[in-house]
Amino acid sequence: VELRVGVIGAVATDPNHRSRGHGARCVKALQQRALEEAHHMVVLWDESGGWYERFGFRQAGRETLHLCVRDDVAGAVKRNRVRPMEPGDLPAVAQLHRRGRGFVMRRSDDWRRLLTIPRMTGWVLERSGTLESYGFVGKGNDLEGCLHEWGGAGFTLPMLVDGVFAASPELRDLVVMSPPWQHEARRAMESHGAAAHDWMTSFERLVLRRVVFWIVRTNSATFSVSLSNGLLQMTRTLRRFPSRMLDQSR
């Protein structure tokens, strides 16, 4: 099933101008744009504990978090090379991305724009001259110290993380996000002492109005969504990110 999904990124208000409804107006404007562009749903990631429910968002989605400190995966890289992603890597990165069990559809321009996002660094793992995996760390003011997207075989994840640590001496710890079906990656990370934590994390807002049931899988979350006359039925459980990972103050 192919869905048109809109994603809301960072939502923030200058501290001197909060509690005046500015954030609410921005969210409503984005919802209106989603309707105009015929999106089936809108998703976002949040740790506020329910602020977005006033706009019709509901809690859903499941992810696996690996909390890593520098010594957890030391030595995993071995003879492989981890380096910052370059524009010339993007065709191979896109190919790895499409091999995943679920993925976000991106055009070539989308991939190029990813490399221009402030405070986000792309990394690639090369093995025997072949690009084996990739990952993105950080994203604007959100997801600081978090590897929030990666692709490639699951067993390469500890190697990628070790290489990121080796190339980033200022990085003391790293939160690694994985889709829940990445069992190979989970086993590989746990073998290096990086404990896994399963939790509900994402919110979505229904846009479509016809009756249907879907399992929607993206690179970083799984959504089990039941749509009926514009009503959304789902599990309402949320566990919280480490507070340093998100800053979405209204």
Side-chain angles (χ1 to χ4, degrees):
V1 175
E2 184 175 312
L3 297 179
R4 187 174 177 83
V5 180
V7 180
I8 296 178
V11 178
T13 302
D14 186 304
N16 296 321
H17 299 279
R18 292 177 181 170
S19 301
R20 301 180 186 179
H22 299 321
R25 283 192 287 273
C26 287
V27 172
K28 290 177 181 178
L30 291 170
Q31 288 178 306
Q32 180 60 36
R33 180 172 177 177
L35 283 169
E36 294 169 355
E37 296 182 353
H39 287 75
H40 295 90
M41 68 171 61
V42 177
V43 299
L44 57 84
W45 281 256
D46 174 62
E47 63 159 6
S48 67
W51 188 81
Y52 289 96
E53 292 185 357
R54 71 187 69 183
F55 308 106
F57 288 88
R58 296 293 181 268
Q59 297 169 9
R62 190 162 58 89
E63 304 195 58
T64 299
L65 296 185
H66 299 281
L67 308 180
C68 309
V69 295
R70 179 173 290 274
D71 294 338
D72 281 344
V73 292
V77 170
K78 298 179 181 177
R79 290 173 295 177
N80 307 315
R81 178 189 178 205
V82 175
R83 59 171 175 79
M85 188 181 299
E86 301 173 354
D89 298 319
L90 293 179
V93 168
Q95 187 175 25
L96 284 173
H97 180 70
R98 290 192 296 268
R99 289 178 187 172
R101 176 174 166 181
F103 60 90
V104 178
M105 296 181 66
R106 292 185 178 129
R107 298 166 298 183
S108 297
D109 288 346
D110 297 328
W111 283 107
R112 286 192 289 270
R113 280 194 292 266
L114 281 178
L115 295 184
T116 68
I117 295 176
R119 301 178 67 182
M120 185 169 86
T121 305
W123 299 92
V124 295
L125 168 68
E126 288 182 324
R127 192 161 62 153
S128 302
T130 301
L131 199 152
E132 292 281 335
S133 62
Y134 77 91
F136 290 104
V137 177
K139 192 173 185 181
N141 289 324
D142 290 343
L143 302 174
E144 179 185 358
C146 177
L147 196 158
H148 53 87
E149 178 183 329
W150 62 273
F155 72 86
T156 66
L157 184 57
M159 306 176 195
L160 181 66
V161 172
D162 185 20
V164 171
F165 274 126
S168 310
E170 76 287 353
L171 195 63
R172 298 175 58 187
D173 51 56
L174 190 67
V175 176
V176 180
M177 299 169 64
S178 293
W181 59 83
Q182 271 286 5
H183 303 300
E184 183 182 40
R186 180 173 184 144
R187 289 192 296 269
M189 293 296 288
E190 289 180 335
S191 71
H192 286 277
H197 305 272
D198 297 313
W199 64 300
M200 306 290 290
T201 179
S202 52
F203 284 61
E204 70 261 274
R205 171 66 169 89
L206 180 68
V207 176
L208 199 67
R209 290 189 175 85
R210 59 191 176 88
V211 180
V212 69
F213 179 79
W214 285 312
I215 302 293
V216 185
R217 294 185 175 92
T218 71
N219 177 270
S220 61
T222 300
F223 306 101
S224 177
V225 184
S226 173
L227 311 182
S228 177
N229 296 322
L231 300 178
L232 184 60
Q233 306 294 326
M234 66 184 68
T235 304
R236 294 172 58 95
T237 304
L238 176 67
R239 300 177 191 169
R240 298 173 65 85
F241 267 119
S243 58
R244 65 179 175 79
M245 288 177 55
L246 294 176
D247 181 11
Q248 292 191 327
S249 303
R250 260 66 56 192

